[in-house]
Amino acid sequence: MAILMCPPVHFGVEYEINPWMHVAVAVDRKQATRQWTALHDTYQRLGVDIVMANPRPGLPDMVFTANAAVLWDGRAVLSSFQHRERQGEEPHWRSTLELLNFEVHELPRTMSFEGAGDALFVGERLFCGHGFRTDRESHAPVGRALGVETVSLELIDPSFYHLDTCFCPLDSNTVLFASQAFSPASRDMVRRLVPNVIEVPRSVAAGFACNAMPLQDTVVSSPALAQLTAPLRDAGFSPVMLPVDEFMKSGGGVRCLSLPLLTARS
Ligand code: ARG
C-alpha cells in the first residue's frame, strides 16, 4: 500500500476558498511541518510506502494531495479545480501521476472536479460529491473514464465542501457519515446502499474526524475521532489520532493530506 504526500514547504493560507480559510489567521509552518511529519511517520509505522510529490512555490494547497485526482486500476482522472488559485496545480499532478505510471484522463475545463476529495470508493462503487467544488455533471464522465458505477451525493453545508470532510469509507460495507452535511435524498441513498453506516455528529465532523485514512483495522484521523471510539470498536476498528490543526486552518485534515496509490498499474 502506498500513499502520495506532498511536504508542507510552501503551505499557507494565502487566499480564502472555503469557510475555514482566513488569510488573517497565520499558519505556523514549523508546527505544520511537525504535524505533517508525524502523519508521514505514522503511515510508515503502519507499513505504508510514502511516495513524495514535489511541492511548488505559489501553490500552498499542493499539500492536499487528495485533490490531485481520483485513481482506479491504473487510471487517473485529473482534477479540474474550480478556483483559479488551485488550477496551477493541475500540470504538476499530471506529471506526478504519469511518472507513477497512471493513464491520466482529463475533463473539459468547464467542468469542475476535485479528485479524491470529492470521489471515494465503497467497494467498487464510486461515491461522488457535488454542490460546492465538484459539478454534478462531472460524475458521469469520471465514471466512464474509470469504468465504474458512480453515485452522486449532494452536499448542502458549506463547512463540508468536499465529500471527504463528511464521508469516509472504512471498508466495503462501512462508512463514517455526517448525514447533516447531505441533502435528504442523498442521506437516504447512503443508508440504502451501505450496510454499516456510522453516524457522525456535526460537531465531531467539524473537528475533521471523518477526514480519515483507514489502514486495515486502524483509522488514522484528527483527535476528534476519540468521540467515535465506541462505534469504531463495534465495527472492528481502532483509532489513531494526530493533531492536524495547522491544516484545519486551510479546511483540511488527515485524509486531505493523503492520496492512496494502491491502484497504480505495476
Ligand atoms: N485549502 C484547500 C482547499 O480549499 C483544502 C483542501 C482540502 N482537501 C480535501 N480533500 N478536503 O481547496
Side-chain angles (χ1 to χ4, degrees), residues 17-130:
I17 59 171
N18 70 54
W20 303 89
M21 299 177 87
H22 304 289
V23 288
V25 177
V27 164
D28 179 340
R29 187 141 344 120
K30 274 207 181 120
Q31 181 70 348
T33 303
R34 277 193 285 270
Q35 294 179 351
W36 184 91
T37 304
L39 177 62
H40 170 278
D41 294 354
T42 299
Y43 283 151
Q44 284 196 326
R45 187 168 51 75
L46 292 169
V48 173
D49 293 325
I50 304 298
V51 176
M52 215 67 96
N54 247 338
R56 308 286 167 153
L59 296 171
D61 277 338
M62 269 192 89
V63 70
F64 300 115
T65 53
N67 294 122
V70 63
L71 309 177
W72 183 250
D73 193 22
R75 296 181 199 171
V77 181
L78 199 66
S79 282
S80 170
F81 285 98
Q82 179 181 110
H83 295 95
R84 196 182 29 80
E85 290 87 340
R86 293 200 69 181
Q87 289 172 1
E89 297 177 31
E90 293 164 12
H92 301 298
W93 294 132
R94 171 183 264 284
S95 54
T96 303
L97 293 165
E98 282 175 348
L99 273 172
L100 292 169
N101 247 347
F102 282 90
E103 177 187 297
V104 179
H105 296 247
E106 264 182 43
L107 297 167
R109 166 82 280 153
T110 51
M111 261 177 208
S112 50
F113 171 69
E114 299 207 352
D118 265 326
L120 294 163
F121 281 95
V122 182
E124 309 229 314
R125 239 185 220 137
L126 187 60
F127 286 69
C128 300
H130 66 94

Side-chain angles (χ1 to χ4, degrees), residues 113-161:
F113 171 69
E114 299 207 352
D118 265 326
L120 294 163
F121 281 95
V122 182
E124 309 229 314
R125 239 185 220 137
L126 187 60
F127 286 69
C128 300
H130 66 94
F132 296 104
R133 295 299 189 80
T134 289
D135 294 333
R136 193 185 206 284
E137 295 64 44
S138 69
H139 297 172
V142 167
R144 278 197 298 275
L146 300 180
V148 299
E149 181 193 339
T150 58
V151 176
S152 296
L153 300 177
E154 185 184 2
L155 301 170
I156 59 166
D157 181 336
S159 293
F160 303 104
Y161 59 95

